[in-house]
Amino acid sequence: MKIHEYQAKKLLAAAGVACPRGIVAKTPDEAAKAFTELGGKIAVVKSQIHAGGRGKGRFKEYPDQAGVVLVKSADEARQNAERMLGQTLVTVQTGPDGKRVNVLFVEQGLNIARELYLGVVVDREAGGPVLILSSEGGMAIEEVAAESPEKIHREPVDPGYGLFGFQATKLAYRLGLEGNAIKSAGQFLPKLCRFFLDNDCSMAEINPLVVTEEGEMLALDAKVSFDDNALFRHKPFSELRDLNEEEEAEVQAAAAGLSYVKLDGNIGCLVNGAGLAMSTMDLIKLHGGEPANFLDVGGGANVDQVTEAVRIIQADTNVKAVLVNIFGGIMRCTTIA
């Protein structure tokens, strides 16, 4: 489950992770008021959607308007908010359709000395979480990995303890930090890793992670997602879910107890078992086709669930045919029929 930046920063701040001050705004007047309340000479007005690349993104309706804007007055905050709210922001991660902006986050300006990249993800090869740091903040980590892999530093995170102090210090020196920045990193990095572990995150990305002129390390951005399979342990997180940001068919499928992911092809898939579902999609691709979806009805689906599954598949106007592939060992084929 993904959440917005402003929601992530509220959780991070509660966990002791340093973040700039920010205020949520849902109207132009609220954006202007937020600028005044923050009390600085500059602020940043940020579009809130479930996608990265907002700073380089552009609005369909206003091609010259970026998704993240630096403002120097309450009036500028209001004017930019008027152009951003209710409009469609297109970024490298949204695809050409973009996403509608309904919420803004107005954040205090900082005296930034350096921009870094930080991410915590689950490394399947390492069999646990890994902290990734790079001196190239503000850039897509995939580009850095391809062009300058020596600038990426990885450190395994102990699933029980978290990140050890000596690891944080070692990473700080690798990044060339000095003075107060090393001390700040020694607090920031372990707390961020502890947050990742305690909340069953699947990803926590801070890009950019900034070091101010005063040597303070802060999360200038925050992209956090949680493992859906662990949400039963975090009931309050359900309130953070923004259904407007999710694929309607996927929400409908989840409500019916089905595992469904919409894709761009034209061959619908009705399968049971995640492994078989993925293998079926691979076979379709192998023979030149394009799957329209991943759909796992599981091993205990009833007639109503299977019926809903077919409805969801056929609601996709791209679907020209449906391939049914059922393993009878865990699902009654008569139910499917």
Side-chain angles (χ1 to χ4, degrees):
M1 184 185 84
K2 297 179 181 178
I3 59 175
H4 288 294
E5 174 194 0
Y6 73 90
Q7 296 169 321
K9 284 185 172 175
K10 184 176 181 179
L11 294 175
L12 287 168
V17 178
C19 300
R21 290 177 58 223
I23 300 172
V24 175
K26 297 183 180 180
T27 67
D29 286 341
E30 287 181 0
K33 183 180 178 182
F35 181 93
T36 302
E37 288 184 14
L38 289 173
K41 294 182 179 180
I42 59 172
V44 184
V45 181
K46 299 180 172 184
S47 302
Q48 298 295 288
I49 59 172
H50 286 178
R54 292 169 295 155
K56 296 180 180 179
R58 292 294 183 267
F59 286 90
K60 279 188 175 181
E61 300 82 358
Y62 300 97
D64 295 333
Q65 175 85 33
V68 176
V69 183
L70 183 71
V71 295
K72 298 180 180 179
S73 69
D75 284 341
E76 279 191 31
R78 180 187 291 106
Q79 292 167 9
N80 280 281
E82 287 174 350
R83 290 193 292 267
M84 298 163 85
L85 286 167
Q87 307 306 321
T88 304
L89 180 62
V90 179
T91 79
V92 293
Q93 292 188 11
T94 65
D97 292 338
K99 286 183 177 289
R100 181 185 174 92
V101 176
N102 298 310
V103 182
L104 301 174
F105 191 47
V106 184
E107 197 168 60
Q108 70 177 123
L110 300 172
N111 296 319
I112 299 173
R114 290 189 63 185
E115 291 189 0
L116 310 170
Y117 172 91
L118 182 155
V120 185
V121 295
V122 177
D123 187 324
R124 304 298 175 186
E125 290 187 10
V130 171
L131 173 64
I132 302 171
L133 274 171
S134 172
S135 57
E136 302 300 302
M139 292 182 60
I141 195 64
E142 296 85 359
E143 294 178 16
V144 181
E147 299 172 8
S148 306
E150 73 281 358
K151 294 182 179 179
I152 296 179
H153 310 285
R154 297 175 176 83
E155 197 69 28
V157 178
D158 186 281
Y161 182 86
L163 189 74
F164 290 94
F166 77 89
Q167 292 177 294
T169 302
K170 178 173 65 174
L171 288 167
Y173 279 112
R174 282 183 179 175
L175 292 169
L177 300 182
E178 299 176 347
N180 290 336
I182 295 176
K183 182 179 179 181
S184 183
Q187 297 176 346
F188 186 100
L189 300 180
K191 286 181 179 178
L192 191 281
C193 292
R194 190 71 257 165
F195 171 86
F196 180 93
L197 296 169
D198 290 346
N199 293 286
D200 293 304
C201 296
S202 54
M203 182 190 72
E205 183 181 67
I206 312 296
N207 188 26
L209 168 69
V210 300
V211 179
T212 66
E213 297 285 356
E214 298 76 26
E216 184 179 10
M217 184 173 280
L218 297 117
L220 194 63
D221 193 10
K223 192 175 179 182
V224 171
S225 58
F226 303 107
D227 184 347
D228 291 341
N229 295 312
L231 287 177
F232 71 94
R233 296 199 291 220
H234 307 280
K235 299 295 185 183
F237 288 175
S238 61
E239 299 176 4
L240 304 177
R241 191 175 183 184
D242 187 350
L243 297 180
N244 293 322
E245 290 286 327
E246 299 183 27
E247 175 65 44
E248 184 178 351
E250 294 177 10
V251 174
Q252 183 182 351
L258 304 167
S259 181
Y260 173 91
V261 178
K262 187 180 184 307
L263 301 172
D264 297 327
N266 59 8
I267 300 176
C269 301
L270 177 62
V271 193
N272 69 318
L276 182 59
M278 290 188 288
S279 297
T280 302
M281 292 161 58
D282 285 344
L283 283 168
I284 291 173
K285 298 268 298 180
L286 179 66
H287 291 278
E290 290 292 335
N293 63 271
F294 166 95
L295 175 61
D296 172 16
V297 298
N302 56 38
V303 171
D304 290 337
Q305 288 175 301
V306 176
T307 303
E308 185 68 6
V310 176
R311 285 199 188 103
I312 292 170
I313 293 173
Q314 293 189 327
D316 185 346
T317 55
N318 293 327
V319 171
K320 304 302 180 186
V322 180
L323 174 59
V324 180
N325 190 10
I326 297 298
F327 174 53
I330 59 173
M331 182 70 211
R332 290 179 63 88
C333 293
T334 51
T335 299
I336 302 293

